[in-house]
Protein backbone atom coordinates (compact mmCIF):
# COMPACT_ATOMS: atom_id res chain seq x y z
CA UNK A 1 0.00 0.00 0.00
CA UNK A 2 1.04 3.58 -0.37
CA UNK A 3 2.17 5.10 2.87
CA UNK A 4 2.49 8.78 2.08
CA UNK A 5 4.92 10.66 4.24
CA UNK A 6 5.79 13.79 2.30
CA UNK A 7 3.47 16.53 3.53
CA UNK A 8 0.84 13.96 4.34
CA UNK A 9 1.69 11.87 1.28
CA UNK A 10 4.08 9.04 0.88
CA UNK A 11 5.38 10.03 -2.48
CA UNK A 12 8.32 12.40 -2.18
CA UNK A 13 10.38 13.00 -5.29
CA UNK A 14 13.74 11.28 -5.31
CA UNK A 15 17.11 12.95 -5.32
CA UNK A 16 17.92 12.60 -8.99
CA UNK A 17 21.59 13.34 -8.80
CA UNK A 18 22.15 10.62 -6.24
CA UNK A 19 19.87 7.99 -7.72
CA UNK A 20 20.66 7.87 -11.42
CA UNK A 21 24.48 7.66 -11.23
CA UNK A 22 24.19 4.95 -8.60
CA UNK A 23 21.84 2.99 -10.78
CA UNK A 24 24.10 3.33 -13.79
CA UNK A 25 27.05 2.17 -11.73
CA UNK A 26 25.19 -0.92 -10.64
CA UNK A 27 25.53 -3.92 -12.92
CA UNK A 28 26.41 -1.76 -15.90
CA UNK A 29 23.17 0.15 -15.68
CA UNK A 30 20.97 -2.14 -13.64
CA UNK A 31 19.31 -1.27 -10.43
CA UNK A 32 17.13 -2.70 -7.72
CA UNK A 33 16.08 -1.93 -4.24
CA UNK A 34 17.01 -2.88 -0.77
CA UNK A 35 14.77 -2.35 2.19
CA UNK A 36 15.02 -1.24 5.79
CA UNK A 37 14.57 -2.83 9.21
CA UNK A 38 14.30 -6.58 9.36
CA UNK A 39 11.02 -8.21 10.28
CA UNK A 40 9.34 -11.42 9.25
CA UNK A 41 6.36 -10.43 7.22
CA UNK A 42 4.94 -9.84 3.82
CA UNK A 43 2.77 -7.22 2.11
CA UNK A 44 -0.55 -7.44 0.41
CA UNK A 45 -1.83 -7.11 -3.07
CA UNK A 46 -4.36 -5.07 -4.90
CA UNK A 47 -7.62 -5.48 -6.72
CA UNK A 48 -9.23 -4.25 -9.54
CA UNK A 49 -10.60 -2.08 -12.06
CA UNK A 50 -10.93 -0.80 -15.44
CA UNK A 51 -8.12 0.16 -17.72
CA UNK A 52 -7.29 -1.97 -20.72
CA UNK A 53 -4.33 -4.23 -20.15
CA UNK A 54 -3.33 -7.37 -21.93
CA UNK A 55 -3.14 -10.49 -19.86
CA UNK A 56 -0.12 -12.74 -20.08
CA UNK A 57 -1.99 -15.86 -19.07
CA UNK A 58 -2.01 -19.17 -20.83
CA UNK A 59 -5.02 -19.71 -23.06
CA UNK A 60 -7.99 -21.09 -21.19
CA UNK A 61 -6.57 -20.63 -17.69
CA UNK A 62 -9.07 -19.24 -15.23
CA UNK A 63 -7.29 -19.21 -11.89
CA UNK A 64 -3.78 -19.12 -10.50
CA UNK A 65 -2.07 -22.38 -9.78
CA UNK A 66 -2.64 -23.65 -6.24
CA UNK A 67 0.07 -26.29 -6.50
CA UNK A 68 2.22 -24.42 -3.99
CA UNK A 69 5.98 -24.33 -3.67
CA UNK A 70 7.74 -27.66 -4.15
CA UNK A 71 11.36 -26.49 -4.21
CA UNK A 72 14.06 -26.76 -1.53
CA UNK A 73 13.94 -24.68 1.67
CA UNK A 74 14.55 -21.01 0.89
CA UNK A 75 14.85 -17.70 2.69
CA UNK A 76 13.82 -14.58 0.79
CA UNK A 77 13.92 -10.89 1.66
CA UNK A 78 10.99 -8.62 0.90
CA UNK A 79 11.58 -4.84 1.10
CA UNK A 80 8.85 -2.25 1.44
CA UNK A 81 8.26 1.30 2.56
CA UNK A 82 5.64 1.62 5.27
CA UNK A 83 4.46 2.71 8.70
CA UNK A 84 3.91 0.76 11.95
CA UNK A 85 0.37 -0.26 11.01
CA UNK A 86 1.53 -1.64 7.70
CA UNK A 87 4.39 -3.52 9.33
CA UNK A 88 1.91 -5.32 11.58
CA UNK A 89 -0.24 -6.17 8.59
CA UNK A 90 2.73 -7.40 6.59
CA UNK A 91 3.84 -9.69 9.41
CA UNK A 92 0.41 -11.25 9.54
CA UNK A 93 0.43 -11.79 5.78
CA UNK A 94 3.94 -13.25 5.85
CA UNK A 95 2.99 -15.58 8.69
CA UNK A 96 -0.01 -16.81 6.73
CA UNK A 97 2.16 -17.33 3.65
CA UNK A 98 4.76 -19.33 5.60
CA UNK A 99 2.02 -21.44 7.17
CA UNK A 100 0.96 -22.42 3.65
CA UNK A 101 4.57 -22.70 2.43
CA UNK A 102 6.70 -23.96 5.35
CA UNK A 103 9.82 -24.23 3.18
CA UNK A 104 9.94 -20.48 2.52
CA UNK A 105 10.99 -17.98 5.16
CA UNK A 106 10.21 -14.32 4.38
CA UNK A 107 12.33 -11.61 6.00
CA UNK A 108 10.70 -8.21 5.58
CA UNK A 109 12.71 -4.98 5.51
CA UNK A 110 10.70 -1.84 6.19
CA UNK A 111 11.84 1.76 5.72
CA UNK A 112 10.18 5.12 5.28
CA UNK A 113 9.80 6.39 1.73
CA UNK A 114 13.05 8.32 1.29
CA UNK A 115 15.25 5.82 3.14
CA UNK A 116 13.72 2.97 1.18
CA UNK A 117 14.94 4.24 -2.18
CA UNK A 118 18.36 5.20 -0.84
CA UNK A 119 18.87 1.70 0.55
CA UNK A 120 17.57 0.21 -2.63
CA UNK A 121 20.16 2.03 -4.74
CA UNK A 122 22.96 1.01 -2.38
CA UNK A 123 21.87 -2.61 -2.36
CA UNK A 124 21.62 -2.76 -6.13
CA UNK A 125 24.99 -1.17 -6.61
CA UNK A 126 26.53 -3.75 -4.28
CA UNK A 127 24.68 -6.73 -5.70
CA UNK A 128 22.78 -7.26 -2.45
CA UNK A 129 19.26 -6.46 -3.52
CA UNK A 130 16.21 -8.02 -1.86
CA UNK A 131 14.55 -10.93 -3.63
CA UNK A 132 11.19 -9.14 -3.75
CA UNK A 133 10.62 -5.42 -3.35
CA UNK A 134 7.82 -2.90 -3.62
CA UNK A 135 7.81 -0.76 -6.75
CA UNK A 136 6.09 2.57 -7.32
CA UNK A 137 4.33 2.65 -10.69
CA UNK A 138 5.87 5.86 -12.10
CA UNK A 139 9.39 4.69 -11.22
CA UNK A 140 9.01 1.21 -12.69
CA UNK A 141 10.28 2.03 -16.23
CA UNK A 142 13.60 3.33 -14.89
CA UNK A 143 14.22 0.11 -12.96
CA UNK A 144 12.97 -2.21 -15.68
CA UNK A 145 15.16 -0.54 -18.32
CA UNK A 146 18.28 -1.26 -16.25
CA UNK A 147 17.81 -5.02 -16.28
CA UNK A 148 17.41 -5.49 -12.55
CA UNK A 149 13.88 -6.92 -12.61
CA UNK A 150 12.94 -10.49 -13.42
CA UNK A 151 10.49 -10.97 -16.29
CA UNK A 152 7.67 -12.91 -14.64
CA UNK A 153 5.92 -13.83 -17.89
CA UNK A 154 7.51 -17.32 -18.19
CA UNK A 155 6.37 -18.16 -14.64
CA UNK A 156 2.92 -16.71 -15.30
CA UNK A 157 2.55 -18.91 -18.37
CA UNK A 158 4.04 -21.95 -16.64
CA UNK A 159 1.58 -21.71 -13.74
CA UNK A 160 -1.41 -20.61 -15.78
CA UNK A 161 -1.63 -17.57 -13.51
CA UNK A 162 -4.67 -15.48 -14.43
CA UNK A 163 -3.76 -11.80 -14.56
CA UNK A 164 -7.36 -10.87 -15.38
CA UNK A 165 -8.28 -11.49 -11.73
CA UNK A 166 -6.31 -8.32 -10.90
CA UNK A 167 -7.03 -4.65 -11.55
CA UNK A 168 -6.35 -3.93 -15.20
CA UNK A 169 -4.60 -0.64 -14.48
CA UNK A 170 -2.28 -2.31 -12.01
CA UNK A 171 -1.33 -5.09 -14.40
CA UNK A 172 -0.77 -2.61 -17.23
CA UNK A 173 1.56 -0.46 -15.14
CA UNK A 174 4.14 -3.25 -14.83
CA UNK A 175 3.90 -4.53 -18.39
CA UNK A 176 6.37 -3.61 -21.13
CA UNK A 177 5.67 -2.88 -24.79
CA UNK A 178 7.16 -6.21 -25.84
CA UNK A 179 4.69 -8.14 -23.66
CA UNK A 180 6.92 -8.70 -20.65
CA UNK A 181 5.36 -8.63 -17.18
CA UNK A 182 7.91 -7.43 -14.62
CA UNK A 183 5.68 -7.02 -11.59
CA UNK A 184 2.33 -7.95 -10.08
CA UNK A 185 0.21 -5.13 -8.64
CA UNK A 186 -0.16 -5.20 -4.87
CA UNK A 187 -2.52 -2.30 -4.17
CA UNK A 188 -3.96 0.88 -5.70
CA UNK A 189 -4.55 4.47 -4.67
CA UNK A 190 -7.07 6.86 -6.16
CA UNK A 191 -8.07 10.47 -5.44
CA UNK A 192 -11.48 11.46 -4.08
CA UNK A 193 -13.20 14.44 -2.44
CA UNK A 194 -13.29 14.33 1.38
CA UNK A 195 -15.80 16.57 3.14
CA UNK A 196 -16.35 17.58 6.77
CA UNK A 197 -19.96 16.74 7.61
CA UNK A 198 -20.20 19.12 10.57
CA UNK A 199 -19.07 22.10 8.49
CA UNK A 200 -21.54 21.29 5.72
CA UNK A 201 -24.35 20.82 8.24
CA UNK A 202 -23.57 24.13 9.94
CA UNK A 203 -23.68 25.92 6.58
CA UNK A 204 -26.85 24.12 5.49
CA UNK A 205 -25.16 22.85 2.31
CA UNK A 206 -26.01 19.38 0.93
CA UNK A 207 -23.11 16.94 0.92
CA UNK A 208 -21.15 16.55 -2.33
CA UNK A 209 -22.28 13.78 -4.68
CA UNK A 210 -21.75 12.58 -8.23
CA UNK A 211 -23.66 15.56 -9.67
CA UNK A 212 -20.94 17.98 -8.59
CA UNK A 213 -18.82 19.83 -11.11
CA UNK A 214 -16.16 22.52 -10.81
CA UNK A 215 -18.77 25.27 -10.45
CA UNK A 216 -20.50 23.50 -7.56
CA UNK A 217 -17.15 22.88 -5.87
CA UNK A 218 -16.18 26.54 -6.16
CA UNK A 219 -19.58 27.80 -5.00
CA UNK A 220 -19.63 25.52 -1.96
CA UNK A 221 -16.03 26.41 -1.12
CA UNK A 222 -16.91 30.12 -1.14
CA UNK A 223 -19.80 29.55 1.25
CA UNK A 224 -17.67 27.41 3.52
CA UNK A 225 -14.71 29.82 3.74
CA UNK A 226 -15.10 31.89 6.91
CA UNK A 227 -13.11 34.64 8.63
CA UNK A 228 -14.83 34.53 12.01
CA UNK A 229 -12.52 36.97 13.82
CA UNK A 230 -12.31 39.43 10.95
CA UNK A 231 -8.52 39.50 10.81
CA UNK A 232 -8.45 39.14 7.04
CA UNK A 233 -7.30 35.50 7.09
CA UNK A 234 -9.88 32.71 7.00
CA UNK A 235 -9.99 30.46 10.04
CA UNK A 236 -12.04 27.99 8.01
CA UNK A 237 -11.17 27.28 4.40
CA UNK A 238 -13.68 25.91 1.92
CA UNK A 239 -11.21 23.66 0.13
CA UNK A 240 -7.74 22.19 0.52
CA UNK A 241 -5.41 20.00 -1.49
CA UNK A 242 -1.69 19.38 -1.63
CA UNK A 243 -0.17 21.00 -4.69
CA UNK A 244 3.31 19.51 -4.36
CA UNK A 245 2.67 16.42 -6.50
CA UNK A 246 0.51 15.98 -9.58
CA UNK A 247 -1.19 12.94 -8.08
CA UNK A 248 -3.01 14.74 -5.27
CA UNK A 249 -5.36 16.77 -7.48
CA UNK A 250 -3.96 18.90 -10.26
CA UNK A 251 -3.33 15.95 -12.60
CA UNK A 252 -7.03 15.12 -12.36
CA UNK A 253 -7.99 18.67 -13.27
CA UNK A 254 -5.75 18.52 -16.35
CA UNK A 255 -7.63 15.44 -17.56
CA UNK A 256 -11.00 16.88 -16.54
CA UNK A 257 -10.32 19.90 -18.74
CA UNK A 258 -9.42 17.77 -21.77
CA UNK A 259 -5.63 17.96 -21.39
CA UNK A 260 -2.88 15.46 -20.75
CA UNK A 261 0.75 15.24 -19.64
CA UNK A 262 2.36 13.43 -22.58
CA UNK A 263 1.68 13.25 -26.29
CA UNK A 264 0.40 9.84 -27.44
CA UNK A 265 3.88 8.76 -28.55
CA UNK A 266 5.35 9.69 -25.16
CA UNK A 267 8.14 11.72 -26.77
CA UNK A 268 6.93 15.19 -25.81
CA UNK A 269 4.70 16.87 -23.27
CA UNK A 270 1.40 18.55 -24.07
CA UNK A 271 1.04 20.39 -20.79
CA UNK A 272 1.31 23.74 -22.57
CA UNK A 273 -2.02 23.25 -24.36
CA UNK A 274 -4.94 25.47 -23.37
CA UNK A 275 -6.77 22.42 -22.02
CA UNK A 276 -3.97 21.21 -19.75
CA UNK A 277 -3.07 24.70 -18.57
CA UNK A 278 -6.73 25.42 -17.89
CA UNK A 279 -6.93 22.55 -15.43
CA UNK A 280 -3.96 23.83 -13.46
CA UNK A 281 -5.31 27.37 -13.68
CA UNK A 282 -8.48 26.18 -11.94
CA UNK A 283 -6.38 25.12 -8.95
CA UNK A 284 -4.37 28.36 -8.94
CA UNK A 285 -7.60 30.37 -9.00
CA UNK A 286 -8.96 28.53 -5.97
CA UNK A 287 -5.93 29.83 -4.05
CA UNK A 288 -5.26 33.31 -5.38
CA UNK A 289 -8.47 34.49 -7.08
CA UNK A 290 -11.32 32.85 -5.20
CA UNK A 291 -9.28 32.69 -1.96
CA UNK A 292 -11.10 29.57 -0.80
CA UNK A 293 -7.95 27.47 -0.43
CA UNK A 294 -4.88 28.26 1.70
CA UNK A 295 -1.67 28.95 -0.18
CA UNK A 296 1.06 26.41 0.64
CA UNK A 297 2.92 28.83 2.92
CA UNK A 298 -0.02 28.86 5.32
CA UNK A 299 -0.10 25.09 5.72
CA UNK A 300 3.66 24.53 5.55
CA UNK A 301 3.92 24.35 9.34
CA UNK A 302 0.49 23.03 10.31
CA UNK A 303 0.16 20.39 7.58
CA UNK A 304 -3.07 19.02 6.16
CA UNK A 305 -5.75 21.71 6.72
CA UNK A 306 -8.59 19.20 6.45
CA UNK A 307 -7.04 16.90 9.01
CA UNK A 308 -6.53 19.89 11.33
CA UNK A 309 -10.24 20.76 11.09
CA UNK A 310 -9.45 23.97 9.21
CA UNK A 311 -10.90 23.08 5.80
CA UNK A 312 -14.33 21.82 4.80
CA UNK A 313 -13.19 19.77 1.78
CA UNK A 314 -10.05 18.09 0.55
CA UNK A 315 -9.12 16.44 -2.75
CA UNK A 316 -6.60 13.75 -1.88
CA UNK A 317 -5.79 10.07 -1.81
CA UNK A 318 -7.16 6.89 -0.32
CA UNK A 319 -4.13 6.68 1.97
CA UNK A 320 -5.68 9.41 4.18
CA UNK A 321 -8.62 7.34 5.44
CA UNK A 322 -6.71 6.09 8.51
CA UNK A 323 -5.21 9.53 9.17
CA UNK A 324 -8.52 11.38 9.02
CA UNK A 325 -10.20 8.71 11.12
CA UNK A 326 -7.48 8.94 13.77
CA UNK A 327 -7.95 12.72 13.83
CA UNK A 328 -11.52 12.17 15.00
CA UNK A 329 -13.12 13.83 11.99
CA UNK A 330 -16.72 13.13 11.02
CA UNK A 331 -16.09 13.04 7.28
CA UNK A 332 -17.60 11.69 4.11
CA UNK A 333 -16.16 10.60 0.78
CA UNK A 334 -17.48 11.70 -2.61
CA UNK A 335 -16.24 11.37 -6.20
CA UNK A 336 -14.08 14.17 -7.53
CA UNK A 337 -16.29 16.80 -9.20
CA UNK A 338 -16.36 16.54 -12.96
CA UNK A 339 -14.75 19.13 -15.22
CA UNK A 340 -15.58 20.44 -18.69
CA UNK A 341 -14.30 17.22 -20.30
CA UNK A 342 -15.80 14.83 -17.74
CA UNK A 343 -14.91 13.10 -14.50
CA UNK A 344 -11.42 11.66 -14.10
CA UNK A 345 -9.20 10.72 -11.20
CA UNK A 346 -5.71 9.27 -11.03
CA UNK A 347 -4.79 5.76 -9.98
CA UNK A 348 -1.29 4.82 -8.87
CA UNK A 349 -0.45 1.15 -8.29
CA UNK A 350 2.23 -0.28 -6.06
CA UNK A 351 3.65 -3.52 -7.38
CA UNK A 352 5.75 -6.41 -6.14
CA UNK A 353 8.78 -7.12 -8.33
CA UNK A 354 11.49 -9.80 -8.20
CA UNK A 355 15.22 -9.03 -8.35
CA UNK A 356 16.77 -10.42 -11.50
CA UNK A 357 19.70 -11.75 -9.45
CA UNK A 358 17.63 -13.54 -6.81
CA UNK A 359 19.02 -16.95 -5.82
CA UNK A 360 15.47 -18.13 -5.10
CA UNK A 361 13.30 -16.86 -7.97
CA UNK A 362 10.67 -19.60 -7.65
CA UNK A 363 10.20 -18.94 -3.95
CA UNK A 364 10.05 -15.19 -4.63
CA UNK A 365 7.43 -15.72 -7.34
CA UNK A 366 5.34 -17.88 -5.02
CA UNK A 367 5.32 -15.06 -2.50
CA UNK A 368 4.47 -12.42 -5.12
CA UNK A 369 1.46 -14.50 -6.17
CA UNK A 370 0.34 -14.77 -2.57
CA UNK A 371 0.40 -10.99 -2.15
CA UNK A 372 -2.32 -10.70 -4.79
CA UNK A 373 -4.40 -13.59 -3.42
CA UNK A 374 -7.82 -12.99 -1.86
CA UNK A 375 -6.50 -14.02 1.56
CA UNK A 376 -3.68 -11.47 1.56
CA UNK A 377 -5.85 -8.82 -0.07
CA UNK A 378 -8.51 -9.09 2.61
CA UNK A 379 -5.85 -8.52 5.24
CA UNK A 380 -4.56 -5.53 3.30
CA UNK A 381 -7.97 -3.92 3.04
CA UNK A 382 -8.33 -3.90 6.82
CA UNK A 383 -5.81 -1.05 6.90
CA UNK A 384 -8.25 1.09 4.82
CA UNK A 385 -5.26 2.92 3.36
CA UNK A 386 -5.33 1.59 -0.20
CA UNK A 387 -7.52 -0.35 -2.57
CA UNK A 388 -7.01 -4.08 -3.08
CA UNK A 389 -6.09 -5.12 -6.61
CA UNK A 390 -7.83 -8.46 -6.51
CA UNK A 391 -11.15 -7.85 -8.28
CA UNK A 392 -13.01 -10.37 -6.16
CA UNK A 393 -11.99 -8.60 -2.96
CA UNK A 394 -12.42 -5.13 -4.43
CA UNK A 395 -15.99 -5.65 -5.59
CA UNK A 396 -17.02 -7.72 -2.58
CA UNK A 397 -15.69 -7.26 0.94
CA UNK A 398 -13.72 -4.07 0.28
CA UNK A 399 -16.60 -2.10 -1.28
CA UNK A 400 -18.70 -2.79 1.83
CA UNK A 401 -15.90 -2.48 4.39
CA UNK A 402 -16.39 1.17 5.44
CA UNK A 403 -18.50 4.20 4.64
CA UNK A 404 -17.05 5.58 1.42
CA UNK A 405 -15.20 2.45 0.29
CA UNK A 406 -17.57 2.00 -2.64
CA UNK A 407 -16.70 5.51 -3.87
CA UNK A 408 -13.06 4.43 -4.07
CA UNK A 409 -13.92 1.15 -5.77
CA UNK A 410 -16.22 2.85 -8.29
CA UNK A 411 -13.61 5.53 -9.03
CA UNK A 412 -11.57 2.96 -10.94
CA UNK A 413 -14.18 3.16 -13.68
CA UNK A 414 -13.05 6.70 -14.54
CA UNK A 415 -9.46 6.52 -13.28
CA UNK A 416 -6.39 7.04 -15.46
CA UNK A 417 -2.94 5.77 -14.60
CA UNK A 418 -0.56 8.30 -13.16
CA UNK A 419 2.13 8.85 -15.84
CA UNK A 420 4.87 6.23 -15.82
CA UNK A 421 7.92 6.59 -18.05
CA UNK A 422 11.70 6.58 -18.01
CA UNK A 423 13.04 9.73 -16.40
CA UNK A 424 9.75 10.42 -14.63
CA UNK A 425 11.38 11.62 -11.44
CA UNK A 426 13.54 14.30 -13.03
CA UNK A 427 10.66 15.34 -15.28
CA UNK A 428 8.28 15.67 -12.32
CA UNK A 429 10.83 17.53 -10.20
CA UNK A 430 11.52 20.07 -12.95
CA UNK A 431 7.83 20.61 -13.62
CA UNK A 432 6.85 20.81 -9.97
CA UNK A 433 9.57 23.34 -9.17
CA UNK A 434 8.15 25.69 -11.80
CA UNK A 435 4.57 25.26 -10.63
CA UNK A 436 5.45 25.60 -6.95
CA UNK A 437 7.47 28.77 -7.50
CA UNK A 438 5.23 30.61 -9.94
CA UNK A 439 1.72 29.16 -9.84
CA UNK A 440 0.80 27.65 -6.48
CA UNK A 441 3.07 29.26 -3.87
CA UNK A 442 2.77 32.66 -5.57
CA UNK A 443 0.77 33.86 -8.57
CA UNK A 444 3.84 35.14 -10.41
CA UNK A 445 2.61 33.64 -13.68
CA UNK A 446 -0.56 32.20 -15.08
CA UNK A 447 -0.52 28.44 -15.44
CA UNK A 448 -0.13 28.81 -19.22
CA UNK A 449 2.83 31.17 -18.85
CA UNK A 450 4.55 28.85 -16.41
CA UNK A 451 3.99 25.80 -18.58
CA UNK A 452 5.15 27.60 -21.72
CA UNK A 453 8.41 28.41 -19.94
CA UNK A 454 9.10 24.91 -18.60
CA UNK A 455 7.89 22.70 -21.47
CA UNK A 456 11.13 23.08 -23.51
CA UNK A 457 13.07 21.69 -20.53
CA UNK A 458 10.59 18.85 -20.15
CA UNK A 459 10.77 17.98 -23.83
CA UNK A 460 14.57 17.93 -23.64
CA UNK A 461 14.40 15.48 -20.73
CA UNK A 462 12.03 13.22 -22.65
CA UNK A 463 14.27 13.35 -25.72
CA UNK A 464 17.23 12.24 -23.62
CA UNK A 465 15.61 9.00 -22.50
Amino acid sequence: MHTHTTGGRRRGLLAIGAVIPLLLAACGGTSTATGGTAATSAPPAASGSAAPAESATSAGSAAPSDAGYTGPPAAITYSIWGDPQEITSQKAIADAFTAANPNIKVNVDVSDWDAYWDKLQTGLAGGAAPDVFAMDGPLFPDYQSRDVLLNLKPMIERDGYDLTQLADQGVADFKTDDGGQYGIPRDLNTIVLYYNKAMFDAAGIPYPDDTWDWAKLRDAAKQLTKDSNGDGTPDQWGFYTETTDMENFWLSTVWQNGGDVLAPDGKSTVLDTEQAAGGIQFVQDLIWKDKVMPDPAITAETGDAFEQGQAAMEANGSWLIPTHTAAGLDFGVAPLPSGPAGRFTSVNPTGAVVYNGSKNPDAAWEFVKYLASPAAQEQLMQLKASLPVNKEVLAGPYAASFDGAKVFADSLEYAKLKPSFRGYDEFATTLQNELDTNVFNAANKTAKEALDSVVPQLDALLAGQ
Side-chain angles (χ1 to χ4, degrees), residues 23 35 50 64 140 183 185 202 243 263 286 289 303 331 367 395 401 416 418 428 453:
L23 290 176
F140 162 73
T243 55
L286 291 175
K289 180 181 177 182
F331 66 91
F367 180 64
S401 63
K416 292 188 177 188
K418 184 178 179 180
S453 68

Side-chain angles (χ1 to χ4, degrees), residues 321-354:
I321 288 287
T323 305
H324 291 341
T325 301
L329 298 174
D330 183 13
F331 66 91
V333 176
L336 285 184
S338 59
R343 190 188 317 278
F344 297 100
T345 188
S346 71
V347 57
N348 190 354
T350 294
V353 298
V354 176

Side-chain angles (χ1 to χ4, degrees), residues 337-375:
S338 59
R343 190 188 317 278
F344 297 100
T345 188
S346 71
V347 57
N348 190 354
T350 294
V353 298
V354 176
Y355 175 42
N356 201 21
S358 171
K359 293 181 173 61
N360 298 291
D362 287 323
W365 164 238
E366 201 66 33
F367 180 64
V368 167
K369 285 193 296 183
Y370 184 79
L371 292 178
S373 70

Side-chain angles (χ1 to χ4, degrees), residues 192-195 200 205-217 220 256 313 332-339 343 407 414:
V192 298
L193 183 68
Y194 293 95
Y195 59 92
F200 271 77
I205 300 173
Y207 298 153
D209 58 26
D210 61 7
T211 68
W212 271 40
D213 57 14
W214 286 6
K216 287 186 176 181
L217 175 68
Q256 290 177 5
M313 294 180 283
V333 176
L336 285 184
S338 59
R343 190 188 317 278
V407 174
Y414 51 86

Side-chain angles (χ1 to χ4, degrees), residues 268-334:
S268 62
T269 183
V270 290
L271 279 167
D272 55 347
T273 62
E274 294 292 342
Q275 292 87 350
I280 296 174
Q281 188 63 51
F282 173 70
V283 180
Q284 186 193 49
D285 286 348
L286 291 175
I287 303 171
W288 297 106
K289 180 181 177 182
D290 302 318
K291 300 186 184 303
V292 297
M293 172 180 161
D295 72 78
I298 293 176
T299 56
E301 296 300 324
T302 59
D304 189 310
F306 186 85
E307 179 188 337
Q308 301 297 324
Q310 298 168 348
M313 294 180 283
E314 174 176 24
N316 220 321
S318 41
W319 55 87
L320 288 178
I321 288 287
T323 305
H324 291 341
T325 301
L329 298 174
D330 183 13
F331 66 91
V333 176

